[in-house]
Amino acid sequence: MGILREFEKRLEGIVEGFFARALPGGGVQPVELGKRMVRAMEDGKRVSVSSTYVPNQFAFLLSAKDFERLDPVRSALVRELAAVARRAAASEGWKLLGPPDIHLAADPRRKAGTFDVQADFAEGARAEPEAGPQTQLIRMSLDADAELVQVGKQGRHWPLSKEALVLGRLDTSDVMLPDPGVSRRHAEIRREGDEWVLIDLGSTNGTDVNGRRVGRHRLVPGDRIALGETVLEFRRP
């Protein structure tokens, strides 16, 4: 499934990157929790007449050792996992019955380095708002100072949380775009000091910014990048 590959790639550089400073060493890593949660959403989806609903309540059962290790950052981890759940729902057009409800618990029978997740549906006091480009709750990274937002009904977001990100059609791309007009490795966005630079990687159909063909372009907020039929907007807070 495309979203799982995309989330695995981004979570490694975003969620795990943030918590790596606080959680050195082995054991269960936050990125593993995020990956398993997205899979549980996909596996548990239910299709109604007009919508696809996915679980929004998740209980992670950890070994006592891993629970103790994660406990100091539990509040921040829960917030990040909730953001991932919202991102998955927004990207795939899934519906949530209520806000993501995430719990971590110790299971004394479980071995260190292993965990399980129990996913269920929980109706909230109010409906979960539709996610869109303006929804700040689904920003995945506390460190990212810029992001790409897909223009159009999908409204997918990619926080720029690495020094360089590849945009392309390959599943391994940091920004994976399933657009036949996009090359396998189409373009790259690199951080240079406090700025971000877009570089075309010799793509077949070229890269446009604000309607002008570019090979290299220093991005400013509001720039619209066209690759094939896909348009991305560069944003900074």
Side-chain angles (χ1 to χ4, degrees):
M1 179 188 175
I3 189 170
L4 290 179
R5 290 190 293 270
E6 182 180 338
F7 267 89
E8 286 178 359
K9 186 68 176 178
R10 290 213 303 269
L11 282 166
E12 287 169 3
I14 297 171
V15 179
E16 187 174 54
F18 171 70
F19 286 102
R21 296 192 297 271
L23 301 172
V28 171
Q29 294 296 319
V31 67
E32 299 177 74
L33 305 183
K35 291 176 183 178
R36 187 79 65 84
M37 182 180 66
V38 174
R39 288 194 179 94
M41 294 172 74
E42 162 69 9
D43 293 341
K45 66 184 180 184
R46 297 178 184 174
V47 181
S48 69
V49 174
S50 59
S51 301
T52 298
Y53 291 91
V54 292
N56 63 310
Q57 185 178 72
F58 307 95
F60 291 94
L61 303 179
L62 305 158
S63 71
K65 182 176 181 180
D66 284 317
F67 179 82
E68 181 180 1
R69 180 168 159 273
L70 291 169
D71 192 51
V73 294
R74 181 166 27 158
S75 295
L77 177 55
V78 165
R79 287 196 301 271
E80 287 294 292
L81 289 171
V84 171
R86 286 187 170 100
R87 173 82 64 167
S91 296
E92 290 298 289
W94 296 334
K95 302 288 186 182
L96 302 173
L97 288 177
D101 184 16
I102 296 168
H103 301 275
L104 274 65
D107 181 355
R109 299 167 299 177
R110 191 159 295 280
K111 294 181 180 180
T114 68
F115 70 96
D116 191 21
V117 59
Q118 298 174 350
D120 205 349
F121 295 82
E123 190 168 1
R126 61 181 184 277
E128 180 71 356
E130 292 289 337
Q134 75 287 353
T135 306
Q136 295 303 308
L137 289 173
I138 62 175
R139 292 197 58 164
M140 290 177 63
S141 174
L142 299 180
D143 290 341
D145 66 353
E147 64 179 344
L148 295 178
V149 178
Q150 183 172 354
V151 177
K153 62 180 181 180
Q154 287 183 301
R156 293 190 294 167
H157 293 229
W158 291 273
L160 304 184
S161 58
K162 298 168 61 177
E163 293 299 306
L165 298 93
V166 172
L167 291 66
R169 205 173 69 250
L170 282 174
D171 291 340
T172 55
S173 300
D174 299 292
V175 179
M176 195 275 287
L177 303 172
D179 180 333
V182 173
S183 296
R184 291 160 61 84
R185 286 174 53 86
H186 195 108
E188 184 178 69
I189 292 183
R190 298 178 189 169
R191 179 190 286 279
E192 293 187 357
D194 190 42
E195 297 183 300
W196 292 91
V197 175
L198 173 71
I199 302 167
D200 184 84
L201 298 177
S203 63
T204 300
N205 296 318
T207 302
D208 292 354
V209 176
N210 303 327
R212 183 174 61 86
R213 184 61 49 90
V214 300
R216 177 185 175 91
H217 175 81
R218 196 167 298 278
L219 293 165
V220 298
D223 275 351
R224 292 203 167 189
I225 306 164
L227 306 89
E229 297 298 318
T230 303
V231 179
L232 308 173
E233 183 172 306
F234 175 74
R235 296 183 182 179
R236 298 192 81 164

